[in-house]
């Protein structure tokens, strides 16, 4: 039996010292499922009978009201707020740089703190205002493994996957900066949709291959489309992949969002060069996976991205083969004039050739919009996002045309 002598000590028992843990070292509540949030609260002493109510409170403050400070949770008791501040964080990432184009496109360079081993990392997120909608382009990885030969992002080696929190925080920060939460004001002079949400659509088309970070992307998108929180329609969320075939069906069945395929070529030998993952998952396997995508219909079409490269993939014979490849797949084909970047060997197709290509596809019954140039002065273009060590100097960035992802997702 343990000694009871301590009960007779003359000195009072001291309360344990609670170390003031820096926010960067604290676990975050952002990006946790309801179940995981409940478990985290129980571990810190919250009564199990109160957990469901506490999770609902936190969920509302994080994803409906958009708070990033526990002290703003006015219907949570002071003791509870102190416990949350001691053990958790809900802080936003650091904004290293914010650039605003003359057309309203915004690009944020965001820094996430090192949690545990490693060092802080930086990624880019882009917002594109359109008529009747605002689209946010979100990154899923720091760097990329795919080395697509026409893509600037692909020249930055993969550093690591982003966590569910880091993926979701890009949406929360954008809504903060645009005044898209209740009781928040839109910045003076900002170009945003005239009605409705400032961020109405999101696309997983930033840095990285989302399907190589499936679980974190899944968790983040399920929270973003949760009807009791951020409540984005799944028809307004598009995930873009270069063709990770085994995860395509899972995307439809487990996440249920719209799908976009970075296609860019209609022959395996060319796609092997442009999109090297094609060597592992060739065109037939990729398109068979697209035909089997859950809930595929004319109302839930797959978008095929096709970057227009002069004298590489822009002939009318390419257009004819494209139509043959997509037979039986409800589809939209986005034609992307190539965005130049330093060191590339590719050129953009002539505008007249792009229009001929688009006309041929339209006559075959497929929508084939040509993307409108956006964010020209801030290098915010598809395939041009890149961070940290090889970022171009700002004076160089202003010299290159840019354009961003538009027209993805439905308008329901």
């Amino acid at each position: 039996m343990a000694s009871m002598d301590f009960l007779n000590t003359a000195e009072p028992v001291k309360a344990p010292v609670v170390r003031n843990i820096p926010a960067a070292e604290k676990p975050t509540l952002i990006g946790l499922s309801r179940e995981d949030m409940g478990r985290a609260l129980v571990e810190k002493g919250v009564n199990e009978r109160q957990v469901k109510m506490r999770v609902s409170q936190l969920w509302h403050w994080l994803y409906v009201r958009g708070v990033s400070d526990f002290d703003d949770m006015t219907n949570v008791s002071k003791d509870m707020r102190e416990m949350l501040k001691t053990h958790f964080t809900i802080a936003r990432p650091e904004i290293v740089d914010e650039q605003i184009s003359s057309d309203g496109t915004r690009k944020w360079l965001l820094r996430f703190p090192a949690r545990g081993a490693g060092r802080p990392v930086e990624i880019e997120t882009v917002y594109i205002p359109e008529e009747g909608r605002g689209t946010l382009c979100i990154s899923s990885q720091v760097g990329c493994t795919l080395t697509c030969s026409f893509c600037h992002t692909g020249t930055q080696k993969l550093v690591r996957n982003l966590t569910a929190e880091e993926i979701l925080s890009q949406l929360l920060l954008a809504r903060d900066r645009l005044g898209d939460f209740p009781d928040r004001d839109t910045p003076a002079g900002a170009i945003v949709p005239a009605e409705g949400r400032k961020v109405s659509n999101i696309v997983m088309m930033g840095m990285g291959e989302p399907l190589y970070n499936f679980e974190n992307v899944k968790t983040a998108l399920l929270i973003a489309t949760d009807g009791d929180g951020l409540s984005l329609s799944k028809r307004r969320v598009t995930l873009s992949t270069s063709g990770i075939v085994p995860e395509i069906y899972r995307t439809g069945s487990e996440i249920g969002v719209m799908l976009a395929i970075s296609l860019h070529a209609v022959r395996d030998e060319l796609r092997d060069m442009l999109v090297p993952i094609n060597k592992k998952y060739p065109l037939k396997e990729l398109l068979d996976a697209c035909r089997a995508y859950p809930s595929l219909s004319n109302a839930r079409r797959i978008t095929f991205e096709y970057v227009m490269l002069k004298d590489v993939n822009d002939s009318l014979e390419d257009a004819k083969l494209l139509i043959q490849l997509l037979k039986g797949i409800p589809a939209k084909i986005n034609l992307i004039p190539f965005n130049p970047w330093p060191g590339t060997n590719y050129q953009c197709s002539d505008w007249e050739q792009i229009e001929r290509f688009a006309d041929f596809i339209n006559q075959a019954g497929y929508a084939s919009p040509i993307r409108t140039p956006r964010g020209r002065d801030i290098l915010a273009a598809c395939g041009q996002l890149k961070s940290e060590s090889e970022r171009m100097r700002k004076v160089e960035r202003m010299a290159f045309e840019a354009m961003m992802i538009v027209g993805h997702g439905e308008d329901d």
Side-chain angles (χ1 to χ4, degrees):
M1 183 173 179
S3 171
M4 302 293 286
D5 289 345
F6 71 91
L7 292 177
N8 300 319
T9 181
E11 294 182 7
V13 178
K14 295 183 179 179
V17 176
V18 178
R19 183 170 70 94
N20 187 18
I21 305 172
E25 297 179 20
K26 297 176 184 177
T28 180
L29 293 180
I30 295 169
L32 296 181
S33 66
R34 285 184 173 84
E35 293 76 17
D36 287 342
M37 190 181 293
R39 281 190 284 270
L41 295 179
V42 169
E43 287 176 3
K44 300 306 178 185
V46 174
N47 190 307
E48 290 193 19
R49 289 175 297 189
Q50 295 183 0
V51 165
K52 186 175 181 180
M53 180 267 290
R54 293 301 188 189
V55 168
S56 293
Q57 281 183 314
L58 291 171
W59 202 267
H60 176 85
W61 284 111
L62 293 176
Y63 301 128
V64 177
R65 303 304 294 259
V67 304
S68 56
D69 187 328
F70 290 115
D71 284 332
D72 293 333
M73 298 181 176
T74 53
N75 67 342
V76 176
S77 70
K78 185 176 179 181
D79 288 346
M80 180 72 175
R81 293 200 304 268
E82 289 301 318
M83 183 278 289
L84 292 170
K85 284 192 290 184
T86 298
H87 296 292
F88 303 105
T89 180
I90 53 173
R92 300 289 191 256
E94 176 190 353
I95 299 176
V96 178
D97 191 26
E98 179 177 26
Q99 294 177 278
I100 305 174
S101 168
S102 57
D103 66 19
T105 298
R106 288 175 178 244
K107 180 164 65 174
W108 295 280
L109 179 64
L110 305 179
R111 179 179 294 143
F112 293 99
R115 298 191 190 280
R119 57 188 175 83
V121 295
E122 295 178 358
I123 56 95
E124 289 182 325
T125 305
V126 177
Y127 172 74
I128 314 96
E130 306 173 56
E131 183 65 33
R133 66 164 78 183
T135 302
L136 187 71
C137 181
I138 292 177
S139 294
S140 58
Q141 295 179 309
V142 184
C144 189
T145 61
L146 294 181
T147 64
C148 297
S149 62
F150 57 87
C151 179
H152 193 208
T153 307
T155 65
Q156 181 184 354
K157 293 180 180 179
L158 179 70
V159 177
R160 67 169 174 81
N161 286 335
L162 293 178
T163 65
E165 173 232 350
E166 291 164 338
I167 294 167
L168 199 60
S169 287
Q170 296 172 66
L171 173 58
L172 298 178
L173 182 138
R175 292 192 64 184
D176 281 346
R177 301 293 292 178
L178 295 166
D180 203 23
F181 281 116
D183 305 322
R184 307 286 179 83
D185 293 327
T186 302
I191 299 174
V192 293
E195 299 181 339
R197 292 186 173 191
K198 313 298 187 297
V199 181
S200 61
N201 294 55
I202 60 176
V203 292
M204 296 298 306
M205 295 184 183
M207 297 170 62
E209 165 55 63
L211 295 189
Y212 274 152
N213 188 16
F214 184 87
E215 293 300 333
N216 286 320
V217 168
K218 172 184 172 180
T219 299
L221 292 185
L222 290 179
I223 293 173
T225 56
D226 185 286
D228 292 327
L230 292 163
S231 196
L232 282 167
S233 166
K234 290 188 177 183
R235 294 182 64 193
R236 287 177 171 263
V237 177
T238 301
L239 183 148
S240 177
T241 177
S242 294
I244 315 303
V245 167
E247 309 296 350
I248 287 177
Y249 188 89
R250 289 187 68 198
T251 300
S253 61
E254 298 180 28
I255 309 177
V257 296
M258 306 294 278
L259 181 68
I261 302 291
S262 294
L263 190 64
H264 311 307
V266 294
R267 296 180 296 276
D268 279 320
E269 60 272 20
L270 177 58
R271 195 165 191 267
D272 286 349
M273 181 177 67
L274 296 179
V275 188
I277 194 65
N278 193 73
K279 297 173 185 176
K280 187 173 184 179
Y281 305 113
L283 283 167
K284 184 181 185 306
E285 290 185 30
L286 173 59
L287 295 172
D288 285 348
C290 290
R291 289 185 176 91
Y293 193 69
S295 303
L296 184 61
S297 67
N298 287 328
R300 295 180 65 86
R301 299 174 295 177
I302 293 176
T303 298
F304 289 89
E305 310 287 352
Y306 198 92
V307 65
M308 300 298 293
L309 302 170
K310 185 174 183 177
D311 299 328
V312 175
N313 66 353
D314 62 349
S315 71
L316 292 186
E317 180 63 24
D318 289 306
K320 184 184 297 185
L321 288 172
L322 179 57
I323 297 305
Q324 293 173 4
L325 276 178
L326 300 187
K327 186 175 181 180
I329 303 176
K332 178 173 72 172
I333 302 161
N334 269 359
L335 300 181
I336 310 168
F338 175 64
N339 297 294
W341 44 270
T344 182
N345 293 319
Y346 295 109
Q347 293 180 319
C348 181
S349 302
D350 296 333
W351 193 258
E352 294 77 9
Q353 184 63 18
I354 296 175
E355 290 183 329
R356 282 193 289 268
F357 197 100
D359 288 343
F360 187 94
I361 295 171
N362 277 316
Q363 289 169 12
Y366 289 92
S368 57
I370 303 170
R371 289 192 182 160
T372 306
R374 303 300 302 270
R376 288 180 175 273
D377 47 347
I378 60 171
L379 204 72
C382 182
Q384 290 181 318
L385 302 186
K386 194 169 180 182
S387 68
E388 200 167 23
S389 61
E390 296 184 56
R391 289 204 315 275
M392 289 184 295
R393 291 179 299 152
K394 189 171 182 179
V395 66
E396 292 174 309
R397 296 162 79 87
M398 298 302 181
F400 291 91
E401 288 190 350
M403 135 179 106
M404 196 52 223
I405 293 100
V406 296
H408 284 84
E410 301 301 315
D411 293 323
D412 61 343

